[in-house]
Amino acid sequence: MRNPHETESNGSYVQLEHHPWFLLPVQEPSSLLDQHEVVTDAPFADERTLSFPIAAAPVQRPSVQSGRRMSTLALSLAVLAAVFSAATAVAEYNVVDYGARPGGGADSAGAFLAAWAAACNHTGRRGSRPVMRVPAGRFLLSKAYFKGPCRSAAGVVVAIDGTVFAPPAVDSTAWIMFHYADGLAIRGGTLDGQGRAHWACRADPGRKCPPGTTTLDISQSKGVSIKKVTLLDSKNVHMSIYDSTGVTVQGVRIVAPADSPNTDGIHVQLSRHVNILGTTIGTGDDCVSMGPGTSDVLIRNIKCGPGHGISIGSLGGEAGEEGVRNVTVEAAVLTGTQNGLRIKTWGKPNRGSVTGVVFSRVTMRGVHNPIVVDQNYCPGYDQCPGKSSGVRISDVSYTDIEGTSATPVAVKFDCSGSNPCTGFRLSNIRLTYEDKTAQSLCRNADGSASGVVSPRSCL
């Protein structure tokens, strides 16, 4: 009997083809060929019918011994096909087989962890990855900590066909965490953070609320891909990428109301080589935020709104923070957001840096602060003595930025007095406010402008 966890894969993974030559029927000729073979539909302009003489030759019936050899060959091919199919089968571990029950009545955390442990301990075959599958249906998950490293060198695929949802309160800062999960691939499904009760608690100043919970936390992992996943109503940040390398987020949808507090779409920190592609994000905070120690980030073809825009920062809140470098945002559309493209640092003397940032081909639709650098961030105004940021910002370019601003000042560079912004470049900027020319404002900023720049550059 085949191992119940060995299944032929389909969908996004390995599709086996059933080749017809595995079992070829042996047919005996019934008569001699005709003296002439007629070829029609020939590829010639006049579509003439051509005939070619073919020498007739007697065809001998196969002997009994020959027939046995053919039968043996056919059997051998069938055995080879079976062996090939088994060798390329993918090990699959379904959470239902470990006790999970759809419907949401019982916590499935134990079953999810058991299925992960089985998949993570599977050695895998060269080039294949074991699959942990969550089938169609709704599954309640109190919380889950999926820990590696796994035995499969290629990693584990988490394939979600249904919806996984959180309880009203989670006694952890992360609801679903993958730690040391090199090669992890998360595919499909919905992760519902059920954050509305938490937001209501936060809105009442007289209530003591549990800490906000990140829906999906990727931590200290390499070669991770997250594709076609929907994240809903997180209690806090929807997705966190922390201290990881080589992470791709593609075709993901993140949704929460505009008034949901601290529900950033994707937060990246202390991570390298991160790609966020073809993703739609609408939340109550930053669509994408990048914290200290982030480098080599590509954000392409994303739709943002509602929310607070795409942000680098805030930085400089603590001493000894690593800088941010080599960030590219291109082909983005921001609609109705509080900010557009923002770099934000605390008004504190803590040192840091932002360098090598490219913003290009971005469309603004009714964005309140389309282009903004704020180095005087200091909520409460009681934690920033002197209000001069120690973070140095340099080599930042804005190219082909167009659309509409919801405020008169469409471009604002409010840089540090002790560490002025340098190497800023504006090219082909077309931003308007109520069908009129918008304004720009610069303080402690140096750079250049080229092409059409409206509002007029203040650099």
PDB file of all heavy atoms in Angstrom, residues 95 99-113 134-135 137-144 162-170 175-176 190-194 235:
ATOM      1  N   VAL A  95      -3.379  18.585   7.825  1.00  0.00           N
ATOM      2  CA  VAL A  95      -3.653  18.858   9.238  1.00  0.00           C
ATOM      3  C   VAL A  95      -4.877  18.078   9.730  1.00  0.00           C
ATOM      4  O   VAL A  95      -4.976  17.768  10.927  1.00  0.00           O
ATOM      5  CB  VAL A  95      -3.836  20.365   9.489  1.00  0.00           C
ATOM      6  CG1 VAL A  95      -2.556  21.137   9.187  1.00  0.00           C
ATOM      7  CG2 VAL A  95      -5.004  20.935   8.692  1.00  0.00           C
ATOM      8  N   GLY A  99      -5.825  15.630  13.349  1.00  0.00           N
ATOM      9  CA  GLY A  99      -6.850  15.982  14.325  1.00  0.00           C
ATOM     10  C   GLY A  99      -7.534  17.307  14.122  1.00  0.00           C
ATOM     11  O   GLY A  99      -8.480  17.626  14.859  1.00  0.00           O
ATOM     12  N   ALA A 100      -7.103  18.127  13.160  1.00  0.00           N
ATOM     13  CA  ALA A 100      -7.777  19.401  12.923  1.00  0.00           C
ATOM     14  C   ALA A 100      -9.163  19.153  12.345  1.00  0.00           C
ATOM     15  O   ALA A 100      -9.354  18.255  11.527  1.00  0.00           O
ATOM     16  CB  ALA A 100      -6.958  20.262  11.970  1.00  0.00           C
ATOM     17  N   ARG A 101     -10.125  19.955  12.756  1.00  0.00           N
ATOM     18  CA  ARG A 101     -11.487  19.815  12.264  1.00  0.00           C
ATOM     19  C   ARG A 101     -11.998  21.169  11.773  1.00  0.00           C
ATOM     20  O   ARG A 101     -11.990  22.151  12.515  1.00  0.00           O
ATOM     21  CB  ARG A 101     -12.409  19.289  13.367  1.00  0.00           C
ATOM     22  CG  ARG A 101     -12.074  17.866  13.792  1.00  0.00           C
ATOM     23  CD  ARG A 101     -12.391  16.870  12.669  1.00  0.00           C
ATOM     24  NE  ARG A 101     -12.023  15.506  13.012  1.00  0.00           N
ATOM     25  CZ  ARG A 101     -10.876  14.934  12.670  1.00  0.00           C
ATOM     26  NH1 ARG A 101      -9.974  15.631  11.987  1.00  0.00           N
ATOM     27  NH2 ARG A 101     -10.606  13.692  12.999  1.00  0.00           N
ATOM     28  N   PRO A 102     -12.454  21.230  10.515  1.00  0.00           N
ATOM     29  CA  PRO A 102     -12.997  22.497  10.020  1.00  0.00           C
ATOM     30  C   PRO A 102     -14.296  22.845  10.713  1.00  0.00           C
ATOM     31  O   PRO A 102     -14.962  21.997  11.289  1.00  0.00           O
ATOM     32  CB  PRO A 102     -13.214  22.212   8.522  1.00  0.00           C
ATOM     33  CG  PRO A 102     -13.387  20.734   8.435  1.00  0.00           C
ATOM     34  CD  PRO A 102     -12.535  20.147   9.520  1.00  0.00           C
ATOM     35  N   GLY A 103     -14.635  24.115  10.688  1.00  0.00           N
ATOM     36  CA  GLY A 103     -15.860  24.568  11.322  1.00  0.00           C
ATOM     37  C   GLY A 103     -15.601  25.575  12.414  1.00  0.00           C
ATOM     38  O   GLY A 103     -16.500  26.332  12.785  1.00  0.00           O
ATOM     39  N   GLY A 104     -14.389  25.570  12.963  1.00  0.00           N
ATOM     40  CA  GLY A 104     -14.020  26.580  13.939  1.00  0.00           C
ATOM     41  C   GLY A 104     -14.456  26.310  15.346  1.00  0.00           C
ATOM     42  O   GLY A 104     -14.320  27.174  16.221  1.00  0.00           O
ATOM     43  N   GLY A 105     -14.953  25.126  15.652  1.00  0.00           N
ATOM     44  CA  GLY A 105     -15.414  24.850  16.998  1.00  0.00           C
ATOM     45  C   GLY A 105     -14.313  24.513  17.979  1.00  0.00           C
ATOM     46  O   GLY A 105     -14.440  24.767  19.173  1.00  0.00           O
ATOM     47  N   ALA A 106     -13.226  23.924  17.487  1.00  0.00           N
ATOM     48  CA  ALA A 106     -12.148  23.481  18.374  1.00  0.00           C
ATOM     49  C   ALA A 106     -10.814  24.032  17.885  1.00  0.00           C
ATOM     50  O   ALA A 106     -10.607  24.226  16.682  1.00  0.00           O
ATOM     51  CB  ALA A 106     -12.100  21.955  18.418  1.00  0.00           C
ATOM     52  N   ASP A 107      -9.928  24.254  18.834  1.00  0.00           N
ATOM     53  CA  ASP A 107      -8.593  24.765  18.505  1.00  0.00           C
ATOM     54  C   ASP A 107      -7.800  23.709  17.732  1.00  0.00           C
ATOM     55  O   ASP A 107      -7.676  22.565  18.172  1.00  0.00           O
ATOM     56  CB  ASP A 107      -7.876  25.145  19.799  1.00  0.00           C
ATOM     57  CG  ASP A 107      -6.490  25.735  19.564  1.00  0.00           C
ATOM     58  OD1 ASP A 107      -6.187  26.113  18.412  1.00  0.00           O
ATOM     59  OD2 ASP A 107      -5.717  25.821  20.539  1.00  0.00           O
ATOM     60  N   SER A 108      -7.252  24.100  16.605  1.00  0.00           N
ATOM     61  CA  SER A 108      -6.485  23.175  15.767  1.00  0.00           C
ATOM     62  C   SER A 108      -4.977  23.323  15.947  1.00  0.00           C
ATOM     63  O   SER A 108      -4.201  22.757  15.163  1.00  0.00           O
ATOM     64  CB  SER A 108      -6.837  23.406  14.286  1.00  0.00           C
ATOM     65  OG  SER A 108      -8.184  23.140  14.034  1.00  0.00           O
ATOM     66  N   ALA A 109      -4.543  24.056  16.967  1.00  0.00           N
ATOM     67  CA  ALA A 109      -3.118  24.331  17.116  1.00  0.00           C
ATOM     68  C   ALA A 109      -2.299  23.045  17.228  1.00  0.00           C
ATOM     69  O   ALA A 109      -1.242  22.907  16.593  1.00  0.00           O
ATOM     70  CB  ALA A 109      -2.877  25.213  18.341  1.00  0.00           C
ATOM     71  N   GLY A 110      -2.758  22.079  18.022  1.00  0.00           N
ATOM     72  CA  GLY A 110      -2.007  20.835  18.193  1.00  0.00           C
ATOM     73  C   GLY A 110      -1.844  20.090  16.879  1.00  0.00           C
ATOM     74  O   GLY A 110      -0.766  19.566  16.566  1.00  0.00           O
ATOM     75  N   ALA A 111      -2.909  20.040  16.077  1.00  0.00           N
ATOM     76  CA  ALA A 111      -2.843  19.345  14.795  1.00  0.00           C
ATOM     77  C   ALA A 111      -1.921  20.070  13.820  1.00  0.00           C
ATOM     78  O   ALA A 111      -1.148  19.442  13.089  1.00  0.00           O
ATOM     79  CB  ALA A 111      -4.249  19.234  14.200  1.00  0.00           C
ATOM     80  N   PHE A 112      -1.973  21.391  13.808  1.00  0.00           N
ATOM     81  CA  PHE A 112      -1.098  22.163  12.919  1.00  0.00           C
ATOM     82  C   PHE A 112       0.366  21.930  13.280  1.00  0.00           C
ATOM     83  O   PHE A 112       1.214  21.726  12.398  1.00  0.00           O
ATOM     84  CB  PHE A 112      -1.424  23.653  13.012  1.00  0.00           C
ATOM     85  CG  PHE A 112      -2.535  24.103  12.110  1.00  0.00           C
ATOM     86  CD1 PHE A 112      -3.802  23.526  12.180  1.00  0.00           C
ATOM     87  CD2 PHE A 112      -2.337  25.114  11.188  1.00  0.00           C
ATOM     88  CE1 PHE A 112      -4.833  23.938  11.357  1.00  0.00           C
ATOM     89  CE2 PHE A 112      -3.356  25.530  10.355  1.00  0.00           C
ATOM     90  CZ  PHE A 112      -4.612  24.956  10.440  1.00  0.00           C
ATOM     91  N   LEU A 113       0.674  21.953  14.564  1.00  0.00           N
ATOM     92  CA  LEU A 113       2.059  21.761  14.991  1.00  0.00           C
ATOM     93  C   LEU A 113       2.536  20.342  14.699  1.00  0.00           C
ATOM     94  O   LEU A 113       3.703  20.137  14.323  1.00  0.00           O
ATOM     95  CB  LEU A 113       2.191  22.082  16.481  1.00  0.00           C
ATOM     96  CG  LEU A 113       1.974  23.559  16.853  1.00  0.00           C
ATOM     97  CD1 LEU A 113       1.961  23.730  18.368  1.00  0.00           C
ATOM     98  CD2 LEU A 113       3.055  24.444  16.231  1.00  0.00           C
ATOM     99  N   VAL A 134      -3.370  22.628   4.546  1.00  0.00           N
ATOM    100  CA  VAL A 134      -4.576  23.027   5.263  1.00  0.00           C
ATOM    101  C   VAL A 134      -5.708  23.009   4.239  1.00  0.00           C
ATOM    102  O   VAL A 134      -5.751  23.856   3.343  1.00  0.00           O
ATOM    103  CB  VAL A 134      -4.427  24.424   5.883  1.00  0.00           C
ATOM    104  CG1 VAL A 134      -5.707  24.802   6.636  1.00  0.00           C
ATOM    105  CG2 VAL A 134      -3.211  24.485   6.805  1.00  0.00           C
ATOM    106  N   PRO A 135      -6.631  22.062   4.311  1.00  0.00           N
ATOM    107  CA  PRO A 135      -7.659  21.934   3.276  1.00  0.00           C
ATOM    108  C   PRO A 135      -8.722  23.020   3.387  1.00  0.00           C
ATOM    109  O   PRO A 135      -8.674  23.886   4.271  1.00  0.00           O
ATOM    110  CB  PRO A 135      -8.249  20.548   3.543  1.00  0.00           C
ATOM    111  CG  PRO A 135      -8.058  20.361   5.014  1.00  0.00           C
ATOM    112  CD  PRO A 135      -6.760  21.038   5.356  1.00  0.00           C
ATOM    113  N   GLY A 137     -12.096  24.986   4.258  1.00  0.00           N
ATOM    114  CA  GLY A 137     -12.810  25.061   5.524  1.00  0.00           C
ATOM    115  C   GLY A 137     -12.229  26.152   6.399  1.00  0.00           C
ATOM    116  O   GLY A 137     -11.224  26.796   6.055  1.00  0.00           O
ATOM    117  N   ARG A 138     -12.846  26.364   7.550  1.00  0.00           N
ATOM    118  CA  ARG A 138     -12.372  27.367   8.517  1.00  0.00           C
ATOM    119  C   ARG A 138     -11.806  26.645   9.734  1.00  0.00           C
ATOM    120  O   ARG A 138     -12.471  25.794  10.328  1.00  0.00           O
ATOM    121  CB  ARG A 138     -13.517  28.298   8.936  1.00  0.00           C
ATOM    122  CG  ARG A 138     -13.942  29.266   7.841  1.00  0.00           C
ATOM    123  CD  ARG A 138     -15.109  30.136   8.295  1.00  0.00           C
ATOM    124  NE  ARG A 138     -14.838  30.856   9.533  1.00  0.00           N
ATOM    125  CZ  ARG A 138     -14.176  32.004   9.611  1.00  0.00           C
ATOM    126  NH1 ARG A 138     -13.694  32.560   8.504  1.00  0.00           N
ATOM    127  NH2 ARG A 138     -13.987  32.605  10.771  1.00  0.00           N
ATOM    128  N   PHE A 139     -10.579  27.021  10.093  1.00  0.00           N
ATOM    129  CA  PHE A 139      -9.885  26.356  11.190  1.00  0.00           C
ATOM    130  C   PHE A 139      -9.486  27.399  12.242  1.00  0.00           C
ATOM    131  O   PHE A 139      -8.809  28.385  11.934  1.00  0.00           O
ATOM    132  CB  PHE A 139      -8.627  25.644  10.688  1.00  0.00           C
ATOM    133  CG  PHE A 139      -8.911  24.503   9.755  1.00  0.00           C
ATOM    134  CD1 PHE A 139      -9.069  24.721   8.401  1.00  0.00           C
ATOM    135  CD2 PHE A 139      -9.031  23.206  10.243  1.00  0.00           C
ATOM    136  CE1 PHE A 139      -9.332  23.677   7.535  1.00  0.00           C
ATOM    137  CE2 PHE A 139      -9.304  22.152   9.384  1.00  0.00           C
ATOM    138  CZ  PHE A 139      -9.451  22.388   8.026  1.00  0.00           C
ATOM    139  N   LEU A 140      -9.920  27.162  13.483  1.00  0.00           N
ATOM    140  CA  LEU A 140      -9.522  28.010  14.594  1.00  0.00           C
ATOM    141  C   LEU A 140      -8.115  27.638  15.033  1.00  0.00           C
ATOM    142  O   LEU A 140      -7.820  26.468  15.263  1.00  0.00           O
ATOM    143  CB  LEU A 140     -10.493  27.838  15.762  1.00  0.00           C
ATOM    144  CG  LEU A 140     -10.104  28.518  17.084  1.00  0.00           C
ATOM    145  CD1 LEU A 140     -10.054  30.029  16.929  1.00  0.00           C
ATOM    146  CD2 LEU A 140     -11.080  28.114  18.197  1.00  0.00           C
ATOM    147  N   LEU A 141      -7.257  28.644  15.164  1.00  0.00           N
ATOM    148  CA  LEU A 141      -5.874  28.426  15.586  1.00  0.00           C
ATOM    149  C   LEU A 141      -5.556  29.417  16.693  1.00  0.00           C
ATOM    150  O   LEU A 141      -5.526  30.633  16.465  1.00  0.00           O
ATOM    151  CB  LEU A 141      -4.926  28.625  14.401  1.00  0.00           C
ATOM    152  CG  LEU A 141      -3.439  28.373  14.648  1.00  0.00           C
ATOM    153  CD1 LEU A 141      -3.187  26.885  14.899  1.00  0.00           C
ATOM    154  CD2 LEU A 141      -2.617  28.854  13.469  1.00  0.00           C
ATOM    155  N   SER A 142      -5.334  28.910  17.902  1.00  0.00           N
ATOM    156  CA  SER A 142      -5.068  29.813  19.028  1.00  0.00           C
ATOM    157  C   SER A 142      -3.768  30.577  18.812  1.00  0.00           C
ATOM    158  O   SER A 142      -3.709  31.802  18.942  1.00  0.00           O
ATOM    159  CB  SER A 142      -5.023  29.033  20.338  1.00  0.00           C
ATOM    160  OG  SER A 142      -4.068  27.981  20.259  1.00  0.00           O
ATOM    161  N   LYS A 143      -2.707  29.862  18.492  1.00  0.00           N
ATOM    162  CA  LYS A 143      -1.421  30.437  18.079  1.00  0.00           C
ATOM    163  C   LYS A 143      -0.523  29.276  17.656  1.00  0.00           C
ATOM    164  O   LYS A 143      -0.783  28.112  18.011  1.00  0.00           O
ATOM    165  CB  LYS A 143      -0.752  31.239  19.200  1.00  0.00           C
ATOM    166  CG  LYS A 143      -0.348  30.427  20.417  1.00  0.00           C
ATOM    167  CD  LYS A 143       0.344  31.310  21.445  1.00  0.00           C
ATOM    168  CE  LYS A 143       0.731  30.487  22.694  1.00  0.00           C
ATOM    169  NZ  LYS A 143       1.401  31.328  23.714  1.00  0.00           N
ATOM    170  N   ALA A 144       0.507  29.584  16.895  1.00  0.00           N
ATOM    171  CA  ALA A 144       1.384  28.519  16.424  1.00  0.00           C
ATOM    172  C   ALA A 144       2.794  29.054  16.218  1.00  0.00           C
ATOM    173  O   ALA A 144       2.984  30.098  15.579  1.00  0.00           O
ATOM    174  CB  ALA A 144       0.850  27.917  15.127  1.00  0.00           C
ATOM    175  N   GLY A 162      -8.030  26.789   2.652  1.00  0.00           N
ATOM    176  CA  GLY A 162      -9.151  27.366   3.375  1.00  0.00           C
ATOM    177  C   GLY A 162      -8.774  28.626   4.125  1.00  0.00           C
ATOM    178  O   GLY A 162      -7.914  29.399   3.702  1.00  0.00           O
ATOM    179  N   THR A 163      -9.420  28.836   5.278  1.00  0.00           N
ATOM    180  CA  THR A 163      -9.202  30.015   6.113  1.00  0.00           C
ATOM    181  C   THR A 163      -8.769  29.584   7.504  1.00  0.00           C
ATOM    182  O   THR A 163      -9.373  28.692   8.110  1.00  0.00           O
ATOM    183  CB  THR A 163     -10.499  30.849   6.222  1.00  0.00           C
ATOM    184  OG1 THR A 163     -10.842  31.342   4.929  1.00  0.00           O
ATOM    185  CG2 THR A 163     -10.320  32.019   7.179  1.00  0.00           C
ATOM    186  N   VAL A 164      -7.726  30.213   8.000  1.00  0.00           N
ATOM    187  CA  VAL A 164      -7.262  30.013   9.370  1.00  0.00           C
ATOM    188  C   VAL A 164      -7.569  31.301  10.126  1.00  0.00           C
ATOM    189  O   VAL A 164      -7.197  32.390   9.671  1.00  0.00           O
ATOM    190  CB  VAL A 164      -5.753  29.710   9.408  1.00  0.00           C
ATOM    191  CG1 VAL A 164      -5.307  29.439  10.844  1.00  0.00           C
ATOM    192  CG2 VAL A 164      -5.412  28.528   8.501  1.00  0.00           C
ATOM    193  N   PHE A 165      -8.276  31.182  11.265  1.00  0.00           N
ATOM    194  CA  PHE A 165      -8.642  32.409  11.971  1.00  0.00           C
ATOM    195  C   PHE A 165      -8.228  32.353  13.432  1.00  0.00           C
ATOM    196  O   PHE A 165      -8.134  31.284  14.042  1.00  0.00           O
ATOM    197  CB  PHE A 165     -10.138  32.710  11.822  1.00  0.00           C
ATOM    198  CG  PHE A 165     -11.063  31.756  12.521  1.00  0.00           C
ATOM    199  CD1 PHE A 165     -11.575  32.037  13.781  1.00  0.00           C
ATOM    200  CD2 PHE A 165     -11.451  30.568  11.900  1.00  0.00           C
ATOM    201  CE1 PHE A 165     -12.440  31.164  14.417  1.00  0.00           C
ATOM    202  CE2 PHE A 165     -12.319  29.690  12.525  1.00  0.00           C
ATOM    203  CZ  PHE A 165     -12.815  29.987  13.793  1.00  0.00           C
ATOM    204  N   ALA A 166      -7.972  33.551  13.979  1.00  0.00           N
ATOM    205  CA  ALA A 166      -7.482  33.692  15.348  1.00  0.00           C
ATOM    206  C   ALA A 166      -8.631  33.859  16.327  1.00  0.00           C
ATOM    207  O   ALA A 166      -9.731  34.283  15.947  1.00  0.00           O
ATOM    208  CB  ALA A 166      -6.554  34.904  15.431  1.00  0.00           C
ATOM    209  N   PRO A 167      -8.398  33.562  17.601  1.00  0.00           N
ATOM    210  CA  PRO A 167      -9.395  33.877  18.635  1.00  0.00           C
ATOM    211  C   PRO A 167      -9.405  35.378  18.910  1.00  0.00           C
ATOM    212  O   PRO A 167      -8.527  36.107  18.448  1.00  0.00           O
ATOM    213  CB  PRO A 167      -8.886  33.083  19.844  1.00  0.00           C
ATOM    214  CG  PRO A 167      -7.416  32.987  19.628  1.00  0.00           C
ATOM    215  CD  PRO A 167      -7.208  32.889  18.152  1.00  0.00           C
ATOM    216  N   PRO A 168     -10.362  35.868  19.667  1.00  0.00           N
ATOM    217  CA  PRO A 168     -10.422  37.317  19.935  1.00  0.00           C
ATOM    218  C   PRO A 168      -9.174  37.859  20.614  1.00  0.00           C
ATOM    219  O   PRO A 168      -8.806  39.014  20.399  1.00  0.00           O
ATOM    220  CB  PRO A 168     -11.651  37.449  20.847  1.00  0.00           C
ATOM    221  CG  PRO A 168     -12.492  36.261  20.519  1.00  0.00           C
ATOM    222  CD  PRO A 168     -11.540  35.155  20.206  1.00  0.00           C
ATOM    223  N   ALA A 169      -8.509  37.048  21.450  1.00  0.00           N
ATOM    224  CA  ALA A 169      -7.277  37.487  22.124  1.00  0.00           C
ATOM    225  C   ALA A 169      -6.215  36.391  21.973  1.00  0.00           C
ATOM    226  O   ALA A 169      -6.523  35.200  22.066  1.00  0.00           O
ATOM    227  CB  ALA A 169      -7.542  37.768  23.598  1.00  0.00           C
ATOM    228  N   VAL A 170      -4.983  36.823  21.743  1.00  0.00           N
ATOM    229  CA  VAL A 170      -3.857  35.896  21.608  1.00  0.00           C
ATOM    230  C   VAL A 170      -2.795  36.297  22.631  1.00  0.00           C
ATOM    231  O   VAL A 170      -2.376  37.455  22.682  1.00  0.00           O
ATOM    232  CB  VAL A 170      -3.262  35.949  20.183  1.00  0.00           C
ATOM    233  CG1 VAL A 170      -2.042  35.044  20.076  1.00  0.00           C
ATOM    234  CG2 VAL A 170      -4.313  35.553  19.152  1.00  0.00           C
ATOM    235  N   TRP A 175       0.952  35.788  16.308  1.00  0.00           N
ATOM    236  CA  TRP A 175      -0.048  34.724  16.220  1.00  0.00           C
ATOM    237  C   TRP A 175       0.522  33.504  15.478  1.00  0.00           C
ATOM    238  O   TRP A 175       0.491  32.389  15.983  1.00  0.00           O
ATOM    239  CB  TRP A 175      -1.301  35.258  15.524  1.00  0.00           C
ATOM    240  CG  TRP A 175      -2.350  34.232  15.227  1.00  0.00           C
ATOM    241  CD1 TRP A 175      -2.722  33.189  16.031  1.00  0.00           C
ATOM    242  CD2 TRP A 175      -3.158  34.135  14.055  1.00  0.00           C
ATOM    243  NE1 TRP A 175      -3.722  32.445  15.427  1.00  0.00           N
ATOM    244  CE2 TRP A 175      -4.005  33.007  14.208  1.00  0.00           C
ATOM    245  CE3 TRP A 175      -3.266  34.896  12.891  1.00  0.00           C
ATOM    246  CZ2 TRP A 175      -4.931  32.626  13.237  1.00  0.00           C
ATOM    247  CZ3 TRP A 175      -4.188  34.534  11.928  1.00  0.00           C
ATOM    248  CH2 TRP A 175      -5.004  33.399  12.102  1.00  0.00           C
ATOM    249  N   ILE A 176       1.060  33.694  14.312  1.00  0.00           N
ATOM    250  CA  ILE A 176       1.677  32.612  13.547  1.00  0.00           C
ATOM    251  C   ILE A 176       3.124  33.003  13.265  1.00  0.00           C
ATOM    252  O   ILE A 176       3.380  34.011  12.586  1.00  0.00           O
ATOM    253  CB  ILE A 176       0.926  32.369  12.221  1.00  0.00           C
ATOM    254  CG1 ILE A 176      -0.520  31.969  12.490  1.00  0.00           C
ATOM    255  CG2 ILE A 176       1.628  31.299  11.389  1.00  0.00           C
ATOM    256  CD1 ILE A 176      -1.372  31.862  11.228  1.00  0.00           C
ATOM    257  N   THR A 190      -6.345  32.112   3.423  1.00  0.00           N
ATOM    258  CA  THR A 190      -6.623  33.344   4.158  1.00  0.00           C
ATOM    259  C   THR A 190      -6.218  33.189   5.608  1.00  0.00           C
ATOM    260  O   THR A 190      -6.523  32.166   6.241  1.00  0.00           O
ATOM    261  CB  THR A 190      -8.131  33.689   4.078  1.00  0.00           C
ATOM    262  OG1 THR A 190      -8.492  33.902   2.706  1.00  0.00           O
ATOM    263  CG2 THR A 190      -8.451  34.927   4.891  1.00  0.00           C
ATOM    264  N   LEU A 191      -5.539  34.206   6.138  1.00  0.00           N
ATOM    265  CA  LEU A 191      -5.203  34.278   7.564  1.00  0.00           C
ATOM    266  C   LEU A 191      -5.988  35.456   8.143  1.00  0.00           C
ATOM    267  O   LEU A 191      -5.705  36.613   7.824  1.00  0.00           O
ATOM    268  CB  LEU A 191      -3.697  34.480   7.753  1.00  0.00           C
ATOM    269  CG  LEU A 191      -2.780  33.444   7.109  1.00  0.00           C
ATOM    270  CD1 LEU A 191      -1.316  33.799   7.354  1.00  0.00           C
ATOM    271  CD2 LEU A 191      -3.080  32.048   7.640  1.00  0.00           C
ATOM    272  N   ASP A 192      -6.970  35.145   8.966  1.00  0.00           N
ATOM    273  CA  ASP A 192      -7.875  36.146   9.514  1.00  0.00           C
ATOM    274  C   ASP A 192      -7.509  36.425  10.966  1.00  0.00           C
ATOM    275  O   ASP A 192      -7.708  35.578  11.843  1.00  0.00           O
ATOM    276  CB  ASP A 192      -9.315  35.647   9.406  1.00  0.00           C
ATOM    277  CG  ASP A 192     -10.343  36.693   9.801  1.00  0.00           C
ATOM    278  OD1 ASP A 192      -9.953  37.735  10.368  1.00  0.00           O
ATOM    279  OD2 ASP A 192     -11.543  36.477   9.544  1.00  0.00           O
ATOM    280  N   GLY A 193      -6.999  37.626  11.224  1.00  0.00           N
ATOM    281  CA  GLY A 193      -6.535  37.968  12.564  1.00  0.00           C
ATOM    282  C   GLY A 193      -7.630  38.304  13.548  1.00  0.00           C
ATOM    283  O   GLY A 193      -7.360  38.424  14.749  1.00  0.00           O
ATOM    284  N   GLN A 194      -8.882  38.499  13.084  1.00  0.00           N
ATOM    285  CA  GLN A 194     -10.016  38.764  13.981  1.00  0.00           C
ATOM    286  C   GLN A 194      -9.703  39.917  14.945  1.00  0.00           C
ATOM    287  O   GLN A 194      -9.836  39.806  16.165  1.00  0.00           O
ATOM    288  CB  GLN A 194     -10.360  37.502  14.782  1.00  0.00           C
ATOM    289  CG  GLN A 194     -10.804  36.307  13.935  1.00  0.00           C
ATOM    290  CD  GLN A 194     -12.245  36.388  13.523  1.00  0.00           C
ATOM    291  OE1 GLN A 194     -13.138  36.461  14.359  1.00  0.00           O
ATOM    292  NE2 GLN A 194     -12.488  36.403  12.225  1.00  0.00           N
ATOM    293  N   LYS A 235      -4.619  42.118  14.485  1.00  0.00           N
ATOM    294  CA  LYS A 235      -4.693  42.896  15.715  1.00  0.00           C
ATOM    295  C   LYS A 235      -3.598  43.952  15.774  1.00  0.00           C
ATOM    296  O   LYS A 235      -3.706  44.967  16.463  1.00  0.00           O
ATOM    297  CB  LYS A 235      -4.586  41.971  16.933  1.00  0.00           C
ATOM    298  CG  LYS A 235      -5.747  40.987  17.063  1.00  0.00           C
ATOM    299  CD  LYS A 235      -5.534  40.031  18.211  1.00  0.00           C
ATOM    300  CE  LYS A 235      -6.731  39.124  18.417  1.00  0.00           C
ATOM    301  NZ  LYS A 235      -6.994  38.216  17.288  1.00  0.00           N
TER     302      LYS A 235
END
